[in-house]
Amino acid sequence: ATTYGLDKATIQERLDWVSNNKDLISRVGRDPIDSLPEWEAADEPWQFMAACEEYYHCLIACDRHWTSLPIATDATCSGLQILAGLAKDKSTAQLVNVLPGERPQDAYKVVATEATPHCPGSIQPYMDRKTVKRVVMTVPYNAKPFSNRGYIRDALKEKGVEIEKEDLTKTVKAVREAMDVVVPGPMAVMKWIEDEVALAIKSGREFLEWVTPSGFVVHQKLNKKIVEVLKLHLLGRVELRVATDDSDEVDLNHHKNATAPNLIHSLDASL
């Protein structure tokens, strides 16, 4: 049922769909070639065909008692899930399916809906979950507006829409501000981490360290680079600045930008 197109339905609705469609499942499971018109329009046609074949032989014909069908598991925007837990942000936890609900929630769609009225009129018809998805996924990993611009521009280009530079700036701003409204806990936690890292480094810390729930010790040491300047004389005067090694000076900005994503990745690895 999930691969047929009911991935946002409740578990009971999916179970009912299977019970009500055993004839279809049997036809596809017995002869996928002759039944092609019945399954080629599924959301995930090849996965649906494979699931029908397995279900038919294991649970209808009962002529096979093992399955080789892969079982896929995925998180719902894992960065926001982890930050929602750290912030004890109930509304965000519900949006990213950390807390149980009757049907799967879609944080991307909610952010798109919140951002749409604040986007340029010419872009509003194209503001959907797909347009904002990569931005919403990567902001918890400290993606900045510059990379957000590329994600939104690319998503709109896939829809055949070219966006002006000024409109793109307004759209990125609208999406990021929508995240402040829709997922306030995670956004506040990221700001808190950045502020605390700055205080730690300014107080003299040369590195940061934390232990994940699995017992792994993360040692984050980020120093400024030693830079050599190469002066060239080909096709006019050119200067190249090349980093050759680490200096003894702690890189405050790098620590501020890297800590939230590294913390989330380390917790994700434990999960």
Side-chain angles (χ1 to χ4, degrees), residues 8 40 51 69 106 119-120 130 135 143 155 158 161 170 188 198 210-211 221 227-228 264:
K8 296 294 188 286
E40 62 183 350
L69 196 67
D106 190 345
C119 293
K130 192 170 184 182
V135 174
E158 286 182 18
V161 178
K170 291 178 180 176
W210 64 90
V211 182
K221 183 175 174 63
V227 176
E228 297 285 347
I264 293 171

Side-chain angles (χ1 to χ4, degrees), residues 49-74:
M49 184 267 286
C52 286
E53 199 273 346
E54 291 281 334
Y55 191 92
Y56 172 73
H57 286 289
C58 292
L59 294 166
I60 296 176
C62 295
D63 57 4
R64 185 191 304 158
H65 302 289
W66 49 267
T67 177
S68 57
L69 196 67
I71 298 172
T73 59
D74 192 15

